[in-house]
Amino acid sequence: METDPLQIKEIPVSVFLAVTIVIVFSLYITNLLKSVPCQKNLGTIFVNNFVHIDLYHLIGNLLGLYSLSRIERSLGAKKFIILISSLLVTASVLEVIIYRVFPSIPCSIGISGLLFGLITWELIIVQNLDFTLVLSIIFTVVIPSIKSKNVSLLGHISGVVAGIITALIWKRLVKPSNF
């Protein structure tokens, strides 16, 4: 019996997300796609989660996605699709609202907002939301944004808030499993 060291068969959704962002990245580096859409509407914001134009950004997000694929292993693909969809839609709606209030904020790209949403969701599901947890989430989001002007604070904050909202709803609607 052959074993898969990466256990790819157990994480089809994570693999699909990874392949998608690599394909979109390839379209940008080959100049088939020349500009990042920044209309700040729900559709564009949702799609921009899959856009990466910097190799280090792509690699960092792929590593983060791989490390968080443990959530997919635990939940199974169907529940993970629901979780990912909930996080992406909630974060995208939050960004639309923020852009309406603060239109001068630059648009964000990349899947790191979703990764922050997954981290936050997992932290809340595994333990109760408390002051220390909230502080750690804030510092994890703010510090990368302070270190680099190219890091999207809005995307990260939207992901974290989406993670909180989704986790609180999840606790009420989904039967407990490994999480």
Side-chain angles (χ1 to χ4, degrees):
M1 184 164 117
E2 231 177 274
T3 60
D4 180 4
L6 296 177
Q7 301 167 331
I8 290 176
K9 291 177 185 172
E10 295 179 19
I11 54 169
V13 179
S14 297
V15 170
F16 175 78
L17 289 172
V19 169
T20 301
I21 63 176
V22 167
I23 289 170
V24 173
F25 174 75
S26 300
L27 293 172
Y28 277 99
I29 64 166
T30 59
N31 287 321
L32 290 172
L33 292 176
K34 296 184 189 297
S35 65
V36 175
C38 196
Q39 285 77 32
K40 298 182 181 177
N41 59 44
L42 189 59
T44 302
I45 291 167
F46 184 87
V47 168
N48 279 354
N49 283 284
F50 303 96
V51 174
H52 296 76
I53 56 174
D54 177 79
L55 181 61
Y56 298 109
H57 182 211
L58 174 74
I59 291 169
N61 281 344
L62 287 173
L63 290 172
L65 181 60
Y66 177 71
S67 87
L68 291 168
S69 68
R70 66 181 177 270
I71 298 171
E72 182 176 2
R73 277 189 200 89
S74 180
L75 291 177
K78 289 178 185 175
K79 284 184 181 177
F80 192 65
I81 289 171
I82 293 168
L83 174 58
I84 293 292
S85 300
S86 300
L87 290 169
L88 285 171
V89 169
T90 304
S92 296
V93 168
L94 289 169
E95 282 193 49
V96 167
I97 293 167
I98 293 168
Y99 284 136
R100 298 273 160 95
V101 176
F102 303 102
S104 63
I105 294 175
C107 65
S108 60
I109 62 169
I111 206 160
S112 55
L114 172 65
L115 301 178
F116 277 105
L118 284 169
I119 292 166
T120 305
W121 177 90
E122 183 181 40
L123 288 170
I124 293 170
I125 294 298
V126 171
Q127 70 180 41
N128 290 327
L129 185 63
D130 62 15
F131 181 72
T132 306
L133 180 58
V134 170
L135 278 179
S136 68
I137 292 168
I138 290 169
F139 282 112
T140 306
V141 170
V142 173
I143 289 173
S145 299
I146 291 171
K147 285 184 162 184
S148 172
K149 64 181 174 85
N150 293 327
V151 173
S152 171
L153 181 60
L154 174 61
H156 292 173
I157 288 174
S158 297
V160 167
V161 173
I164 292 169
I165 292 168
T166 303
L168 295 175
I169 293 170
W170 193 277
K171 280 184 157 185
R172 292 189 181 266
L173 299 179
V174 178
K175 292 181 180 179
S177 63
N178 294 344
F179 278 102

